[in-house]
C-alpha cells in the first residue's frame, strides 16, 4: 500500500460512513485498518496531519437509515447480485394486516444516507 491508496481508503470510508448500511461498510474494515496502520507507521507526520485538515461534508441533512438486521441486508444484497427473488412479509400498520410478497430485485440506489432497493412485484 502506498500513501495515496491509504489516504483514499480512509477518505472513502469517511464518506461512506452514514451513507451505506453498517453491515456493508464493515466489509471494508480490513482495508481501513491496514490504511490507518500504514499512515501511522510513516515517520513523516505530513500525511497524518493532512487527514486532520481534510474532511468530507455532505450536502443537506442526512436521513436516519432504518434499522434492519444485518442478515436481512445480506439477503437483499445477495438477491440483487444473483438475480434471485426474495419472499417477504410486510406488516401494514394502517390495515393492521400482514402481506406476503415475492419481490424480484432490480438494483440498489444510494442517495445521501438512504439506501433504496428497486424491486419488481
Amino acid at each position: 500500500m502506498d500513501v495515496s491508496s491509504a489516504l483514499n481508503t480512509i477518505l472513502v470510508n469517511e464518506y461512506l460512513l452514514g451513507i451505506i448500511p453498517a453491515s456493508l461498510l464493515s466489509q471494508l474494515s480490513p482495508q481501513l485498518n491496514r490504511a490507518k496502520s500504514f499512515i501511522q507507521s510513516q515517520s513523516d507526520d505530513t500525511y497524518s496531519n493532512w487527514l486532520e485538515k481534510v474532511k468530507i461534508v455532505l450536502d443537506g441533512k442526512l436521513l436516519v437509515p432504518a434499522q434492519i438486521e444485518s442478515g436481512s441486508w445480506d439477503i437483499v444484497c445477495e438477491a440483487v447480485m444473483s438475480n434471485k427473488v426474495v419472499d417477504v412479509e410486510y406488516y401494514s400498520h394502517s390495515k393492521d394486516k400482514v402481506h406476503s410478497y415475492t419481490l424480484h430485485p432490480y438494483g440498489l440506489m444510494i442517495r445521501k444516507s438512504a439506501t433504496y432497493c428497486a424491486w419488481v412485484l
Side-chain angles (χ1 to χ4, degrees):
M1 178 172 285
D2 60 9
V3 172
S4 178
S5 297
L7 292 172
N8 285 326
T9 300
I10 293 168
L11 288 174
V12 164
N13 183 76
E14 183 179 324
Y15 178 76
L16 293 176
L17 192 64
I19 293 178
I20 65 174
S23 61
L24 193 58
L25 190 59
S26 69
Q27 295 175 12
L28 298 175
S29 59
Q31 293 92 333
L32 177 62
N33 292 337
R34 191 169 144 223
K36 286 180 178 178
S37 295
F38 179 84
I39 292 296
Q40 291 169 351
S41 72
Q42 299 300 301
S43 58
D44 184 2
D45 286 341
T46 303
Y47 299 109
S48 59
N49 290 338
W50 188 82
L51 282 172
E52 295 172 7
K53 296 178 183 182
V54 176
K55 296 295 176 200
I56 294 174
V57 179
L58 301 174
D59 298 3
K61 295 180 181 179
L62 289 180
L63 301 173
V64 178
Q67 296 293 323
I68 61 169
E69 296 177 20
S70 62
S72 298
W73 179 249
D74 293 341
I75 291 169
V76 169
C77 288
E78 178 62 30
V80 170
M81 301 308 258
S82 305
N83 292 320
K84 295 180 180 176
V85 299
V86 178
D87 293 320
V88 299
E89 290 185 347
Y90 168 75
Y91 174 73
S92 171
H93 291 285
S94 62
K95 297 182 180 174
D96 195 30
K97 184 178 176 183
V98 175
H99 299 276
S100 296
Y101 297 102
T102 297
L103 304 176
H104 301 266
Y106 187 72
L108 296 174
M109 180 182 76
I110 299 171
R111 181 174 181 242
K112 295 192 179 183
S113 62
T115 302
Y116 302 92
C117 187
W119 299 97
V120 178
L121 291 175

